[in-house]
Amino acid sequence: MSPQLEIQIIAVIVAVACSLPGVFLVLRKMSMMSDAITHTILLGIVIGFFMTNSLTSPFLIVGAALMGVFTVFLTEMLNSTKLVSEDSAIGIVFPLLFSIAIIIISRYAGSVHLDTDSVLLGELAFAPFDRMRIFGVDIGAKSMYSMGIILIINLLFVIIFFKELKIVTFDPALATVLGFSPALIHYSLMTIVSITAVGAFESVGSILVIAFMIGSPVTAYLLTDDLKNMLILSGLIGGLNGILGYQLASILDVSIAGSMALMTGIVFLLVFIFSPRRGLLTTINRRKRQRIEFAGKSLMFHLYNHEGKEDEDLESGIHTIEKHLQWNEQFLKSIIKELKGKEKIYVEDGIIKLTESGREYAIRSYEQIISGFETGKK
């Protein structure tokens, strides 16, 4: 297997593994927590290293996972005092724990291959050189297998606890009533996030972990309201970003991790603008249609209120109605054209009149407004 292919496989595995817990972070409005965890677990790695004196010890993952949970605990403890908000608590805990790790590394681990730049930025190009050998047989890059195991753990966690995760995410009170422990599910999710982050550190770095863990789920969120579809879409988008990012890096001869993070941002921006459900253009068009629809109803209400009255020629005249509605001429013409096309109005002797269907529509709309108003009062 070529190194180029191995790099892309590792990127896809990391992207899917990060996107699964990332979906629940996004839905729980905890996106910034992922940023904090992916940095503060460095302290757990450092403590694990000094305890074992080995960079390959599994205790590094244990230490990192515990530090991730500790980060969440400290943040929530500060937030629970009501003296600081959650984002302020993150802003206090994150720099504190991360800076302690940096100081320890720079002071005591200068001669050890525990580099802050490689942890933050990562370098996928070097991942294929760290080989997995069984009985002397080279079976591929270690990252493929380590992240593959983490991906399987994440998949099993989401599949087995899907119902609990869904209820705790959308209705924690209901989870308590049903006998689930929101705190247990919450900290289990944070542990999975921590394990995923530390597993991806060596190959892709924390910056790309954040991009995959938040960027892909947010992009999927703009495309669907269904949780299962969001999980699937998030993984597919993350994998696509990884492959496209690698191709971009190959063409421009730049950082692979940086290109993947850039591609994640570009894909999000495209979906943000053009998504058929929540895209910017869709939202603008929807608001425009709502404005036109509301103006059309207002015009028909006006015509209905003055229909058959002495002042009809003045209030509903094609050349005088503009003053009474206080609309600009161009907008009024567009609304009249819209309603004519729908056969709701017609012009007779210079007076705008309702068609039969227009009159029925105006009456029905008016009754709906009155009904809604009375319901609201109750």
Side-chain angles (χ1 to χ4, degrees):
M1 188 181 297
S2 67
Q4 293 83 359
L5 181 58
E6 286 188 339
I7 290 172
Q8 293 178 75
I9 291 174
I10 292 169
V12 170
I13 294 173
V14 171
V16 178
C18 289
S19 67
L20 292 174
V23 166
F24 296 99
L25 291 180
V26 169
L27 292 175
R28 292 162 67 90
K29 296 180 174 61
M30 298 181 66
S31 298
M32 287 306 299
M33 186 63 75
S34 68
D35 189 17
I37 289 174
T38 52
H39 284 78
T40 58
I41 59 176
L42 179 60
L43 180 57
I45 295 173
V46 172
I47 293 172
F49 169 74
F50 281 108
M51 288 177 62
T52 62
N53 217 18
S54 171
L55 285 172
T56 59
S57 171
F59 284 103
L60 269 66
I61 295 179
V62 174
L66 292 175
M67 188 56 62
V69 174
F70 183 62
T71 301
V72 177
F73 173 75
L74 278 182
T75 302
E76 293 183 346
M77 185 178 69
L78 284 174
N79 185 38
S80 66
T81 64
K82 306 300 181 183
L83 298 176
V84 293
S85 61
E86 184 177 13
D87 57 339
S88 298
I90 292 173
I92 294 169
V93 174
F94 161 23
L96 173 65
L97 299 181
F98 185 59
S99 59
I100 292 173
I102 297 297
I103 290 170
I104 292 175
I105 291 174
S106 60
R107 181 68 179 84
Y108 299 106
S111 60
V112 180
H113 182 59
L114 188 59
D115 183 79
T116 55
D117 290 335
S118 64
V119 168
L120 288 174
L121 301 176
E123 186 46 73
L124 268 169
F126 298 149
F129 295 104
D130 189 10
R131 312 302 293 177
M132 171 74 77
R133 289 182 172 84
I134 298 180
F135 303 114
V137 179
D138 186 346
I139 60 173
K142 280 185 180 179
S143 296
M144 286 196 300
Y145 295 95
S146 61
M147 285 308 303
I149 292 171
I150 291 174
L151 172 58
I152 292 172
I153 292 173
N154 291 358
L155 273 172
L156 290 174
F157 177 74
V158 171
I159 292 171
I160 294 172
F161 298 104
F162 180 78
K163 180 176 66 176
E164 289 83 354
L165 285 166
K166 185 176 182 179
I167 295 175
V168 168
T169 297
F170 294 108
D171 195 342
L174 177 61
T176 303
V177 171
L178 294 175
F180 301 152
S181 173
L184 180 60
I185 297 296
H186 172 67
Y187 282 104
S188 297
L189 177 63
M190 294 303 106
T191 303
I192 289 293
V193 170
S194 301
I195 293 173
T196 304
V198 71
F201 258 12
E202 189 174 356
S203 54
V204 303
S206 66
I207 301 300
L208 192 53
V209 171
I210 298 168
F212 282 147
M213 195 168 285
I214 303 302
S216 302
V218 167
T219 305
Y221 176 72
L222 294 174
L223 295 171
T224 181
D225 289 324
D226 184 88
L227 181 56
K228 289 182 180 178
N229 290 339
M230 186 176 173
L231 287 165
I232 295 170
L233 272 175
S234 181
L236 291 174
I237 292 170
L240 179 64
N241 290 337
I243 294 172
L244 293 178
Y246 177 80
Q247 300 303 323
L248 179 64
S250 298
I251 294 170
L252 300 179
D253 191 22
V254 293
S255 166
I256 297 174
S259 296
M260 290 179 181
L262 174 63
M263 191 56 63
T264 299
I266 291 173
V267 171
F268 168 77
L269 184 62
L270 291 173
V271 173
F272 177 75
I273 295 173
F274 299 107
S275 170
R277 296 180 62 85
R278 295 191 179 94
L280 182 62
L281 292 180
T282 302
T283 303
I284 292 173
N285 289 332
R286 185 187 302 119
R287 289 175 180 172
K288 183 179 178 182
R289 292 303 309 167
Q290 288 173 344
R291 180 169 176 252
I292 291 173
E293 183 180 348
F294 179 77
K297 286 183 178 180
S298 299
L299 176 57
M300 286 191 288
F301 290 159
H302 181 85
L303 296 176
Y304 179 71
N305 287 333
H306 294 281
E307 192 175 49
K309 295 182 179 179
E310 293 180 359
D311 60 353
E312 183 179 11
D313 58 338
L314 186 63
E315 292 284 351
S316 303
I318 190 70
H319 300 295
T320 56
I321 193 173
E322 176 186 342
K323 297 179 182 178
H324 299 284
L325 293 175
Q326 296 183 347
W327 292 351
N328 67 64
E329 183 179 355
Q330 193 62 36
F331 182 67
L332 177 60
K333 286 181 178 179
S334 66
I335 299 301
I336 291 175
K337 183 180 179 181
E338 175 88 7
L339 293 178
K340 275 186 176 180
K342 294 181 178 179
E343 297 183 347
K344 301 295 184 184
I345 63 173
Y346 66 98
V347 179
E348 183 181 89
D349 298 329
I351 300 175
I352 307 172
K353 295 180 177 291
L354 290 169
T355 63
E356 190 61 37
S357 64
R359 187 177 297 104
E360 291 176 359
Y361 181 80
I363 294 172
R364 187 167 59 251
S365 299
Y366 180 77
E367 289 175 347
Q368 289 174 352
I369 292 173
I370 296 300
S371 175
F373 177 73
E374 290 177 349
T375 302
K377 286 179 67 176
K378 293 178 182 179

